[in-house]
Amino acid sequence: MRIKIAHHVSTIAESPTLAMDARAKAMKAAGRNIINLSAGEPDFDTPENVREAGIDAIQRGFTRYCPAAGIVELRSAVARELKNEKGLSYDAGCIAIANGAKQAIYLTLQSLLNPGDEVLIQVPYWVSYPEMVRSLGGKPVLVPAKSSESGFSLDVGGFAKRLSDRTKVIIINTPNNPTGCVYNRGELSALADVLFGAGGSKSGRNKRRRRFFPCVISDEVYEKLTYARLAQDIPAGAAAPAPHVSIATLSDIARENTVVVSGVSKTYAMTGWRIGYAAGPKLIVQTIVNLLGQSTSGSCSISQKAAVAALEGDQSLVEARRRTFDERRRYAVTRLRAMKGVECTEPLGAFYVFPSFKAILGRKHASSNVRSTEELARILLEKKEVATVPGEAFGAPGFLRLSYAAAMETIKAGLDRLEDLLGSLR
Ligand code: PLP
């Protein structure tokens, strides 16, 4: 019998970031001295109070099915977090707990997309957005970010140009993976104006009054990891970090048409616990909950208790870790900027640097021509045993994503090896 995979999922690619991370781990397990700068997760352990809450949930027998929307205790903790951090009030019916922010994004898309609906996604993008959209029969419409010299910030005009009656969803991600860009209030207000205000679209396609506004999915998983601009005389952590702004806070209409997605993976080093959430219009959230109920059911009971402890517990470790990330970020940016042929825009959020290697493309390593950053990443892994993710994975050839969610010595050794490799190119 020949098996036929459904059309709309048959071309879905493996996640390149997960693939690179798995490859680096396999090479390490095979005895290679791999430096892994490809990971999309904090290198820290889950905080002790959070681990203890998980153990306590097991000991108390809190190990049964949970409501599809998530336990009330966690939804209330998320509601408090959204209120305290962003001034956003949602009742419990407008918050759904999912198996990570990734599932929250996927279920939001599943709730909204009909075949052929367009989804505007900024490039460079997080690897999963276009694949999620395609897997649901939607059409990703890519909107280039401003240049790397302009910090990869939002190109509002680019969104306006591509907005049409077919646009159902806009995905934005701030702080951004892979660029580290943090969108400021002005940029987000201008985008909200284009989507919901009198700004409308500059293209003729959208001159008619829209019957529906597009829905924004605002991916804010790195919201607690922002940093102050690098200044030589100010020590790490001394200046106020770039403020994280959620588009949902900008106006009632923006809030009514936005699903805010976040979670505990990045802030609390809880990637394996799989807890994220979506907060937004009741109709969408109720659809998400129905999808959860008919597919995975409610998220892991133990993880939900641990997530409550994370959100409600002492937050000083979050700040201490943010400062550690900042020190590593400063070091990585300074080192990369000193390398010949490398241009490095300063990231103000998340835990990645996304330097350009365009100036070295076309040079030779031994007998091979380094024609692309995919090739550069391959050589760097094979010859220097450093794992990175090529920009091609994010729709941005010419760049490499290096994660600084690694110990300082690891980052230093990885950058030494990269510098070595670049120095050997002819
Ligand atoms: N969104 C972005 C931009 C990410 O980088 C990631 C993880 O890498 C996620 C969402 C998924 O997070 P979670 O672990 O909560 O599913």
Side-chain angles (χ1 to χ4, degrees):
M1 189 182 73
R2 275 184 60 207
I3 293 170
K4 282 205 162 174
I5 297 298
H7 293 310
H8 57 290
V9 287
S10 61
T11 57
I12 299 308
E14 179 183 16
S15 160
T17 44
L18 293 184
M20 182 55 110
D21 191 44
R23 185 148 175 235
K25 281 177 181 152
M27 285 172 79
K28 201 165 189 165
R32 304 270 303 262
N33 176 19
I34 299 291
I35 290 184
N36 190 357
L37 301 182
S38 74
E41 59 183 344
D43 53 314
F44 302 116
D45 285 334
T46 302
E48 198 176 345
N49 67 311
V50 177
R51 284 183 274 145
E52 273 166 8
I55 293 166
D56 188 56
I58 296 173
Q59 301 291 18
R60 287 171 185 266
F62 193 76
T63 50
R64 299 182 188 277
Y65 286 134
C66 293
I71 57 174
V72 174
E73 208 183 339
L74 180 54
R75 280 187 290 152
S76 305
V78 168
R80 270 192 294 279
E81 160 88 2
L82 286 162
K83 180 80 189 135
N84 295 341
E85 296 294 317
K86 299 175 193 166
L88 290 169
S89 301
Y90 293 98
D91 25 285
C94 294
I95 295 170
I97 306 301
N99 295 291
K102 203 174 211 171
Q103 192 193 28
I105 296 165
Y106 192 73
L107 295 181
T108 308
L109 288 168
Q110 201 174 2
S111 302
L112 290 166
L113 293 186
N114 287 313
D117 282 346
E118 294 183 357
V119 179
L120 304 191
I121 299 170
Q122 174 145 301
V123 190
Y125 46 72
W126 181 46
V127 291
S128 295
Y129 300 145
E131 297 299 310
M132 285 183 180
V133 171
R134 277 191 208 103
S135 79
L136 294 164
K139 186 176 165 215
V141 174
L142 304 180
V143 185
K146 286 198 176 151
S147 66
S148 56
E149 295 77 23
S150 308
F152 298 105
S153 66
L154 273 179
D155 180 9
V156 176
F159 278 92
K161 218 160 68 191
R162 289 164 182 84
L163 195 65
S164 81
D165 285 344
R166 293 184 294 276
T167 310
K168 194 71 177 287
V169 176
I170 281 115
I171 306 181
I172 54 173
N173 171 219
T174 180
N176 189 272
N177 175 7
T179 66
C181 182
V182 177
Y183 305 147
N184 65 37
R185 185 171 293 276
E187 290 159 346
L188 289 166
S189 296
L191 179 65
D193 246 19
V194 162
L195 300 178
F196 313 120
S201 162
K202 288 195 182 108
S203 86
R205 289 208 286 167
N206 198 40
K207 282 247 167 72
R208 271 181 297 125
R209 234 186 138 64
R210 295 180 62 91
R211 278 196 305 131
F212 297 102
F213 287 124
C215 176
V216 175
I217 298 179
S218 182
D219 180 347
E220 304 178 14
V221 291
Y222 296 99
E223 61 187 297
K224 298 278 174 66
L225 295 173
T226 68
Y227 316 101
R229 203 166 280 289
L230 234 159
Q232 300 308 338
D233 50 337
I234 303 176
H244 163 73
V245 180
S246 170
I247 192 168
T249 62
L250 297 180
S251 64
D252 287 345
I253 196 157
R255 189 198 122 99
E256 284 158 17
N257 291 283
T258 298
V259 176
V260 175
V261 173
S262 193
V264 292
S265 289
K266 314 289 178 177
T267 307
Y268 301 99
M270 291 178 71
T271 47
W273 297 76
R274 311 306 306 129
I275 295 292
Y277 61 83
K282 202 174 199 135
L283 190 61
I284 300 176
V285 172
Q286 192 52 54
T287 310
I288 291 173
V289 173
N290 292 343
L291 286 167
L292 280 164
Q294 301 291 7
S295 55
T296 53
S297 296
S299 303
C300 169
S301 58
I302 299 150
S303 298
Q304 290 195 61
K305 283 286 191 188
V308 172
L311 292 171
E312 305 269 271
D314 179 11
Q315 302 295 306
S316 55
L317 195 57
V318 174
E319 173 57 12
R321 289 177 170 182
R322 188 194 67 78
R323 284 177 185 237
T324 304
F325 278 131
D326 192 15
E327 275 162 26
R328 298 165 174 180
R329 177 189 72 104
R330 289 160 159 257
Y331 175 79
V333 170
T334 310
R335 279 291 305 275
L336 285 160
R337 284 182 170 171
M339 292 182 201
K340 224 169 146 219
V342 181
E343 303 245 333
C344 186
T345 302
E346 184 186 359
L348 291 184
F351 40 63
Y352 311 101
V353 274
F354 199 58
S356 164
F357 292 84
K358 286 178 185 165
I360 62 101
L361 294 184
R363 298 221 188 131
K364 279 202 144 192
H365 177 265
S367 59
S368 44
N369 212 335
V370 188
R371 281 202 198 88
S372 65
T373 28
E374 217 157 35
E375 182 70 2
L376 180 64
R378 189 190 61 74
I379 297 171
L380 192 56
L381 182 60
E382 295 300 331
K383 306 293 177 201
K384 296 288 178 187
E385 303 185 313
V386 179
T388 57
V389 185
E392 283 83 347
F394 310 97
F399 297 85
L400 288 185
R401 190 193 78 176
L402 287 75
S403 164
Y404 51 86
M408 195 61 132
E409 331 61 274
T410 310
I411 297 169
K412 184 174 182 313
L415 292 173
D416 286 347
R417 292 185 194 183
L418 170 66
E419 194 165 25
D420 234 37
L421 176 74
L422 295 177
S424 71
L425 298 181
R426 287 172 291 113

